[in-house]
Amino acid sequence: MSPLQRPARRSPRFALLALLAVLAVLGASRESRAAGAGRAADQLPASSITGAVTDPAGARVARARVMLVSALAVAGTTDCDGRGEFRFDHVAPGRYELRVYAEGFSADPLEVVVPPGSNTVVNPALHVSAVVESVVVSAAQVEVPLARAADSVTVIPRSELRAEQIDTVADALRSVPGLTVSRNGGLGAVTSVFPRGGESDYTLVLVDGMKANAFGGGYDFSGLSTSGVERVEVVRGPESALFGSDAIGAVVQVVTRAGGSPRVEGSVERGSFGTSRVTAGTFGSAGPWSWGASGGRTSSAGYTGIAPATGERVSNDDFTLSHAGGSLGWRGAGGADVRLTAQYTDADRGYPGPYGSNPIGAFTAVDRVSRGVTRTTQLGGRWALPFSAAGRSWRQTITAGFLDLANDFTSSYGLSASSSRRFTARSQTDADVSSRLGLSAGAEYEAERATSTFITGDAYAPVPIDRSIASLFAEARYQPAAPLTVTAGVRAERIQRDRLSGNPDPYAPRPAFGTDVQSSVNPRLSAAFLLGGSRAGAAGWTRLHAAAGTGIRPPDAFEIAFTDNPDLKPERSRSVEAGVDQALARERVTVGATAFYNRYDDLIVAVGTALANASLYRTDNISNARSRGVELSAALHVASGLTTRVSYTFLDTAILAVDGLGTAPPPFEAGQPLLRRPRHAASVDVVYARGALTSFARVGARSRTLDVEPTYGTYGGLFYNPGFTVVDAGASWRLAKGVEVFGRVANLFNRAYEETYGFPALGRNATIGVRIAAGR
């Protein structure tokens, strides 16, 4: 083993020890700071809020979610107990808004004035609603209600994932306007997400706030299960002002389940193509403690029919995924909050190759050897403490996280390996300056390392690529009047990475030589204006929103290793958007429309002879692209239990000329659409839930896309991949309390189509299973 590899091998233990040390120090200081906060609270006694939630018929509603909102952020959330009752303790005196929602229902926001040392009783009444309300942690530096988020945000709740029997986060994202999901074949194949015309490495993925992307922003969604997921948040548009590097096009945040009434759940299912899935989980709280843990295993034999490209039988399309994760939290009487989280996945898949469309006859035989194994470990910790100082409310939050992502790929050429490791630490201070102004500021440090069999130095010994990112950030949330909310944020980053020697041979070993430093400042401004409000009754309400911001993606390991450019910069995006949301018929119907424009600059491309006049280097930031479009959405919910959601995206993308030339990088021409971005995409989701029955139908459609020859890529030429329409349907039936059987049919009409050119999607396939749950 090379000595250069040993620090990388020790880094997981070092990161874990560092994380535990940070939390230990925080725990030791908690008592003294909490005591200070307690003395401040004694000067202005804390209060409580209690009540009960009822449905339109006046009956109590168990498990409804109750949200307590201050003028600028979410002050707390809780679930009703089995009697429909809720309680908030240790509430600071002041003016709040109480929001309540349950599946298919919501309540008018209620204004609550809490005097010092009092118990305020509030009894919200629900009404039928198509509005999905939720806490959102991905649209600002603090938790905000979805209704106040000025960005383009979609929240996919657990109830929707369960009703439509969605097993993967990627499949959940197919109904989100502005996102294109492309899977290279069947279950477990490489799955990419393109946000609003951006590249597949332009989406930042967070799991409970922990960054899951590989070094350079890449992420394969195939291994991200919905087991144990509370909700999926999607923020479209660059969010580097909030999250820094890699949030250049969108943010997908997966929030796992924790807390609530103690509960144990499990499911078993079996389906076509030798597919099976087993899941189990437990979630709950007891006193100051809360927990959530889940795990599962999915396996599939994959497609074993005849390959359209060669006429031979396909094998090596199998897939196995094992995953486990959980969190443990503690919340003190004074509001101190500590939470530890962990996630682990192990995915093993065969790669038979592009056995579908074969436009130039380049694919000659199914690959029965190539296999990939991906293992991901994530650890995280968060400590937060609210306190009072200078007559204002403050909150200090410190987080730390660690990622270890390892890939082993075996082919006829032998074994190749790559890895990404990352340690992050973050400190953030939030302050309610006044009832109309909230501020957040802090600092973050990220250290990451990438390794690859193909990145070597002297004697072909592996050379790791190291990078560190130091950031300062700030955000202001201003509500000058009740209908208007303005959020402004900025983040400054100092990116330092290895510089490799300038060997003239791009494929020769290149040892590390010095460092490169880049700086980046990314602002974002958003605003939302609410007309009418829920008290307008049948007239509904109108919400106007707009946002503008920038984002960056620093180079990945190969872009760093195989360049002679000492000033290779991050890729950049600039984005503006504006939209309107309208609620009608007392929120039974909602419609929305958002227009956006994105400009992508400083894209990294290989120069070659065709672009030699544009740069002196082998690779450079000289390419450009743009995308623009419109996202439309609508939702309907009626008292009979029928819910319908519709989305449509018009997307116009273009490859632009490189800097200094009137031509695009070959084989493209300026003005051609970007690869795998459909001009038209639509989805319709229908769910009917009444009594013991829940049924669904889902339709997805998209127009043709430009793609590359499946075997040789751009060297084989460009081709159009035909559009398609696919239908899924299913139902579940509750046999008894805690026992439910379910079944579904994917690709109901057995359409032959390819999301990625050359890689056929699975034909009609059916699944049946049973869910069992026990608890209060």
Side-chain angles (χ1 to χ4, degrees):
M1 178 180 293
S2 166
L4 291 172
Q5 292 178 297
R6 291 183 186 133
R9 180 173 289 274
R10 289 196 298 265
S11 61
R13 287 178 291 176
F14 169 78
L16 179 58
L17 290 173
L19 172 60
L20 295 176
V22 168
L23 293 175
V25 172
L26 295 175
S29 65
R30 177 186 59 80
E31 292 298 332
S32 61
R33 298 194 64 181
R39 288 192 294 271
D42 290 340
Q43 299 171 7
L44 199 60
S47 305
S48 60
I49 300 175
T50 60
V53 177
T54 57
D55 64 16
R60 296 282 187 93
V61 179
R63 317 298 179 216
R65 177 62 56 90
V66 185
M67 185 190 309
L68 186 64
V69 185
S70 69
L72 301 163
V74 174
T77 60
T78 189
D79 289 339
C80 292
D81 60 19
R83 301 184 301 273
E85 298 175 354
F86 67 90
R87 183 181 186 91
F88 289 100
D89 290 317
H90 308 289
V91 179
R95 188 181 300 272
Y96 296 90
E97 189 176 78
L98 200 70
R99 293 175 174 265
V100 186
Y101 51 98
E103 186 177 355
F105 297 89
S106 67
D108 294 344
L110 299 175
E111 186 176 288
V112 181
V113 178
V114 180
S118 68
N119 176 51
T120 302
V121 179
V122 184
N123 296 312
L126 299 176
H127 58 80
V128 176
S129 174
V131 174
V132 177
E133 184 57 282
S134 175
V135 174
V136 177
V137 298
S138 309
Q141 297 288 7
V142 296
E143 295 180 346
V144 297
L146 177 59
R148 290 190 184 176
D151 295 329
S152 294
V153 183
T154 298
V155 175
I156 307 170
R158 170 166 48 95
S159 58
E160 183 177 326
L161 300 173
R162 182 186 179 97
E164 299 191 37
Q165 302 178 31
I166 298 174
D167 291 340
T168 67
V169 171
D171 286 339
L173 299 179
R174 295 181 189 279
S175 298
V176 177
L179 299 188
T180 300
V181 178
S182 183
R183 188 164 68 188
N184 291 12
L187 189 65
V190 173
T191 306
S192 304
V193 172
F194 300 86
R196 284 183 171 176
E199 294 291 344
S200 60
D201 52 6
Y202 280 12
T203 300
L204 175 65
V205 180
L206 304 170
V207 179
D208 287 334
M210 299 182 293
K211 185 175 178 180
N213 300 68
F215 188 109
Y219 188 80
D220 179 7
F221 280 83
S222 64
L224 193 54
S225 169
T226 58
S227 175
V229 170
E230 176 63 27
R231 67 182 184 274
V232 180
E233 299 179 6
V234 183
V235 184
R236 302 183 295 283
E239 295 290 336
S240 287
L242 267 71
F243 299 105
S245 300
D246 298 334
I248 181 173
V251 175
V252 173
Q253 170 113 242
V254 177
V255 180
T256 61
R257 294 178 63 183
S261 299
R263 190 171 182 83
V264 177
E265 299 179 356
S267 69
V268 178
E269 59 185 74
R270 182 78 179 180
S272 306
F273 300 105
T275 301
S276 63
R277 186 170 185 255
V278 179
T279 68
T282 177
F283 319 94
S285 57
W289 297 92
S290 62
W291 71 88
S294 65
R297 186 178 188 274
T298 301
S299 63
S300 175
Y303 181 71
T304 56
I306 302 302
T310 62
E312 60 185 325
R313 185 164 297 278
V314 176
S315 63
N316 196 36
D317 195 38
D318 58 295
F319 169 65
T320 301
L321 171 69
S322 301
H323 63 91
S327 65
L328 177 65
W330 177 87
R331 186 176 182 85
D337 184 14
V338 178
R339 181 160 295 276
L340 300 175
T341 60
Q343 298 288 332
Y344 176 78
T345 62
D346 186 323
D348 183 346
R349 198 186 198 285
Y351 290 91
Y355 58 82
S357 297
N358 193 19
I360 63 173
F363 184 81
T364 58
V366 170
D367 187 339
R368 308 187 191 280
V369 176
S370 295
R371 299 195 65 83
V373 177
T374 302
R375 298 182 178 90
T376 306
T377 302
Q378 287 184 279
L379 303 173
R382 184 193 72 220
W383 173 86
L385 179 70
F387 60 97
S388 297
R392 296 181 174 86
S393 296
W394 300 74
R395 182 179 178 88
Q396 181 66 45
T397 304
I398 296 179
T399 59
F402 170 74
L403 168 75
D404 183 3
L405 173 63
N407 298 277
D408 293 331
F409 188 79
T410 302
S411 70
S412 57
Y413 298 99
L415 174 67
S416 60
S418 63
S419 69
S420 295
R421 291 184 173 90
R422 179 183 301 115
F423 176 77
T424 60
R426 174 188 176 101
S427 175
Q428 177 175 324
T429 303
D430 308 310
D432 288 342
V433 178
S434 70
S435 62
R436 299 183 182 276
L437 177 64
L439 297 176
S440 297
E444 185 170 8
Y445 179 78
E446 176 180 300
E448 57 183 346
R449 164 174 287 192
T451 64
S452 171
T453 300
F454 302 105
I455 301 176
T456 60
D458 295 335
Y460 293 94
V463 175
I465 304 295
D466 291 311
R467 177 163 60 202
S468 63
I469 303 176
S471 308
L472 297 175
F473 58 87
E475 180 182 86
R477 299 167 297 279
Y478 183 48
Q479 193 174 38
L484 177 63
T485 302
V486 179
T487 302
V490 65
R491 185 182 185 106
E493 295 188 310
R494 182 182 186 272
I495 306 170
Q496 179 174 309
R497 64 170 174 83
D498 286 344
R499 178 190 296 174
L500 301 187
S501 63
N503 193 310
D505 181 0
Y507 302 104
R510 304 176 59 231
F513 179 76
T515 59
D516 285 328
V517 177
Q518 298 282 343
S519 297
S520 177
V521 177
N522 290 283
R524 186 162 181 83
L525 176 66
S526 61
F529 190 84
L530 183 66
L531 299 171
S534 59
R535 293 179 180 82
W541 47 258
T542 303
R543 176 175 171 270
L544 307 175
H545 60 93
T550 64
I552 63 169
R553 183 196 71 86
D556 64 29
F558 283 94
E559 290 167 337
I560 294 171
F562 295 101
T563 188
D564 56 349
N565 188 342
D567 297 314
L568 198 65
K569 299 176 293 185
E571 298 183 336
R572 301 179 182 273
S573 71
R574 292 173 290 167
S575 175
V576 294
E577 64 176 73
V580 57
D581 299 316
Q582 178 70 54
L584 304 167
R586 198 169 170 78
E587 296 185 340
R588 286 178 171 83
V589 179
T590 61
V591 294
T594 300
F596 62 88
Y597 179 88
N598 294 334
R599 172 71 187 237
Y600 304 110
D601 297 308
D602 294 338
L603 305 184
I604 300 170
V605 294
V607 174
T609 56
L611 305 178
N613 292 331
S615 175
L616 299 175
Y617 302 109
R618 290 196 292 267
T619 64
D620 208 344
N621 301 95
I622 58 175
S623 189
N624 309 284
R626 64 111 177 112
S627 68
R628 58 192 178 192
V630 177
E631 299 165 349
L632 304 177
S633 62
L636 166 70
H637 184 80
V638 295
S640 62
L642 179 67
T643 300
T644 302
R645 294 182 301 274
V646 180
S647 70
Y648 167 77
T649 302
F650 169 77
L651 180 63
D652 178 29
T653 65
I655 299 169
L656 304 180
V658 301
D659 297 336
L661 295 178
T663 60
F668 302 100
E669 297 178 0
Q672 277 187 312
L674 293 167
L675 295 177
R676 298 176 189 167
R677 277 71 147 195
R679 191 173 182 85
H680 305 280
S683 69
V684 179
D685 294 73
V686 180
V687 175
Y688 178 76
R690 193 170 184 85
L693 173 67
T694 299
S695 59
F696 76 91
R698 183 170 55 244
V699 182
R702 77 179 198 193
S703 60
R704 69 174 188 171
T705 58
L706 185 67
D707 214 323
V708 297
E709 197 281 323
T711 300
Y712 295 138
T714 55
Y715 295 103
L718 302 177
F719 300 87
Y720 275 99
N721 186 14
F724 58 85
T725 299
V726 63
V727 179
D728 303 334
S732 62
W733 182 267
R734 189 174 63 253
L735 297 176
K737 182 180 179 180
V739 181
E740 183 181 55
V741 294
F742 61 90
R744 63 183 178 274
V745 180
N747 194 0
L748 182 62
F749 299 108
N750 201 29
R751 302 297 190 195
Y753 68 98
E754 298 172 348
E755 290 185 340
T756 303
Y757 194 52
F759 296 86
L762 293 177
R764 182 189 298 116
N765 58 98
T767 300
I768 58 172
V770 60
R771 298 190 188 103
I772 300 176
R776 290 181 287 170

